[in-house]
Amino acid sequence: MRFDTIILGAGAAGMMCAAHCGGHVLVIDHAKAPGEKIRISGGGRCNFTNMYTSPSNFLSQNPHFCKSALARYTQWDFVDLVGRHNIAWHQKTLGQLFCDESSKQIIKMLLDEMREAGAELWVQTSLRDLRKTESGFALEVERDGQRQHLTCANLVLATGGKSIPKMGATGLAYDIAGQFDMRVTDTRAALVPFTFSDGRFKDLSGVSLPARLSNDRTSFDEALLFTHRGLSGPSVLQLSSYWSEGEAIRVNLIRDLPLFDLLRTQRRSGGRKALTTELARHLPARLVDYLSKVIPMSGNLADQSDAKLTDLTETLSAWQLVPSGTEGYRTAEVTLGGIDTEDLSSKTMEAKDVPGLYAIGEAVDVTGWLGGYNFQWAWSSGHAAGVAIAAKHQPTTLYPRPRIQLRTITS
């Protein structure tokens, strides 16, 4: 069976690309249904983009690579698409946009766009063999227990990364890239909780509060959640993308709290209160109880000098911890790293040395922050590859020479 374009992966990037390719397009995926990561995202309401999307919200060995695709298909282009399909949405904190009802609406929207473009979708289809030919690519796939041979002029790698293997995630895109001598940067789990091997926070499981998490390179001000395995919450997930194994992190538990002034004021009017009792007015009581075992905070408020209060507040604003590791790909929202952008065109997402081979979405070494940024990269990179492929199907327009009109100029 001959196709103009075959897209491996029916996720966000793959379906977006299929809607724009033109020609005879086939999307294949080994899962039972398309868009499974879309379905579970955002608590089932899909944080489909972020209104503040910019290149600065992405990590890559080449931070400039994402600029072209993001500029040519912006968050507002996708919001417009959502609006055309009458999907109601709302904004949450930090520019995050969610469906009012269900993430399934985004999947249906993409399938409708694919259908209108004439693209076919095969699910529960596995790739068994792939090779380059003079005219493109030859694939052998298994579908319904039968082997089928396919050929195409263009092949798009949209299989994502290694995150959440229980949903079928693999390193297939990296294997195919290696087959065609394309480089792959080091990959690891990102947007993932930190773990502590000693289980030190198991008694704090479920406690949350606003905090600032930082290392020597960056910081994030969002919620922190203690778990039985370690630390989670948006601030943790964000910092995990910038964390290296064995590195210390700093936790500011009193980010926006003028704790020194509050304690000193209370010392004057209620000096007989225990310091821990007063702290529990400003921080979760279970957290104060835990901290009292690792940080000096005994005695009443009247016993605390300004120097002691200063030491306490400085400690609470820069609590240093060294995670044992992360929860890994099992719970990671994305994979950091991927197909090296040096081997791709930033305009078309096509491999520089393998004509007709494209890589998009999470398979590429472009990783967004938490909050809809990775979906926007899927839309933007999928669109970039799709319109580039569509342009191949358009006949070259021969523009006639402009006519020159001669006018007599009289004085």
Side-chain angles (χ1 to χ4, degrees):
M1 299 180 67
R2 175 74 182 177
F3 294 89
D4 294 314
T5 303
I6 293 178
I7 300 171
L8 302 180
M15 289 193 286
M16 187 68 171
C17 183
H20 291 88
C21 283
H24 193 192
V25 178
L26 172 66
V27 181
I28 66 175
D29 200 297
H30 66 286
K32 293 181 180 179
E36 281 296 272
K37 282 193 176 180
I38 298 175
R39 181 182 61 82
I40 68 170
S41 68
R45 293 192 175 181
C46 188
N47 179 193
F48 56 79
T49 192
N50 194 293
M51 63 186 297
Y52 300 127
T53 299
S54 75
S56 64
N57 303 120
F58 295 86
L59 292 80
S60 173
Q61 288 194 2
N62 178 3
H64 301 290
F65 180 84
C66 64
K67 292 180 177 179
S68 177
L70 291 172
R72 288 180 295 120
Y73 192 87
T74 71
Q75 60 270 40
W76 306 117
D77 292 314
F78 193 77
V79 168
D80 181 62
L81 176 63
V82 168
R84 294 203 305 271
H85 284 259
N86 299 312
I87 299 174
W89 55 272
H90 60 277
Q91 178 188 346
K92 285 192 175 180
T93 58
L94 303 174
Q96 301 170 72
L97 305 186
F98 290 78
C99 298
D100 282 358
E101 296 180 16
S102 171
S103 55
K104 294 179 182 179
Q105 294 175 288
I106 299 296
I107 299 173
K108 181 181 183 302
M109 176 190 77
L110 294 169
L111 291 173
D112 288 346
E113 289 286 310
M114 286 173 55
R115 193 173 298 111
E116 184 176 342
E120 294 184 48
L121 171 64
W122 292 0
V123 294
Q124 295 183 286
T125 302
S126 301
L127 178 68
R128 297 305 182 196
D129 188 51
L130 168 66
R131 59 186 175 85
K132 188 77 173 68
T133 66
E134 289 186 2
S135 59
F137 303 87
L139 298 81
E140 182 180 341
V141 300
E142 185 172 338
R143 184 188 187 207
D144 297 330
Q146 301 293 319
R147 295 287 180 110
Q148 298 191 44
H149 295 273
L150 314 173
T151 61
C152 61
N154 307 295
L155 180 68
V156 183
L157 306 181
T159 57
K162 299 178 181 179
S163 59
I164 317 183
K166 70 178 181 181
M167 297 188 67
T170 68
L172 178 61
Y174 313 142
D175 296 337
I176 294 174
Q179 178 182 341
F180 294 107
D181 296 324
M182 297 172 66
R183 292 166 290 186
V184 177
T185 68
D186 291 338
T187 59
R188 62 178 176 85
L191 298 183
V192 62
F194 288 132
T195 58
F196 293 80
S197 58
D198 56 8
R200 69 183 70 178
F201 299 128
K202 62 181 180 180
D203 292 336
L204 289 177
S205 182
V207 172
S208 66
L209 72 162
R212 173 176 298 140
L213 264 73
S214 61
N215 57 13
D216 292 337
R217 293 178 296 285
T218 190
S219 66
F220 291 95
D221 290 5
E222 293 190 62
L224 164 67
L225 172 68
F226 291 91
T227 73
H228 68 286
R229 292 176 60 105
L231 301 176
S232 188
S235 61
V236 170
L237 301 188
Q238 296 281 36
L239 190 65
S240 70
S241 297
Y242 294 83
W243 180 76
S244 300
E245 188 171 352
E247 180 183 19
I249 63 172
R250 293 181 297 276
V251 182
N252 185 344
L253 298 169
I254 53 173
R255 185 187 74 194
D256 298 320
L257 191 66
L259 186 61
F260 175 82
D261 293 334
L262 291 171
L263 293 177
R264 190 168 59 171
T265 299
Q266 188 61 30
R267 184 180 62 188
R268 290 195 294 265
S269 59
R272 292 184 178 182
K273 284 186 178 180
L275 174 60
T276 52
T277 300
E278 182 61 22
L279 278 176
R281 293 181 56 205
H282 308 290
L283 295 172
R286 285 166 60 195
L287 176 58
V288 172
D289 183 61
Y290 172 87
L291 292 172
S292 67
K293 298 178 177 65
V294 296
I295 299 173
M297 56 174 70
S298 60
N300 297 330
L301 280 171
D303 302 323
Q304 314 302 319
S305 65
D306 282 359
K308 287 183 177 180
L309 293 181
T310 298
D311 288 343
L312 175 62
T313 54
E314 288 180 351
T315 300
L316 294 177
S317 64
W319 186 23
Q320 186 161 296
L321 300 167
V322 180
S324 303
T326 72
E327 292 190 4
Y329 292 118
R330 183 180 65 86
T331 60
E333 296 207 10
V334 293
T335 301
L336 186 71
I339 297 174
D340 197 325
T341 58
E342 290 299 314
D343 292 337
L344 299 172
S345 163
S346 62
K347 182 177 180 181
T348 65
M349 310 304 293
E350 186 174 17
K352 293 177 180 177
D353 297 328
V354 189
L357 181 63
Y358 298 77
I360 58 177
E362 191 182 346
V364 180
D365 175 29
V366 175
T367 305
W369 288 6
L370 183 72
Y373 298 102
N374 286 291
F375 272 132
Q376 184 57 48
W377 172 244
W379 316 137
S380 296
S381 60
H383 176 268
V387 297
I389 292 169
K392 293 182 176 181
H393 303 297
Q394 301 299 322
T396 302
T397 302
L398 299 178
Y399 293 97
R401 293 180 180 180
R403 293 181 179 180
I404 301 175
Q405 291 185 333
L406 299 178
R407 293 185 297 165
T408 301
I409 302 176
T410 58
S411 56

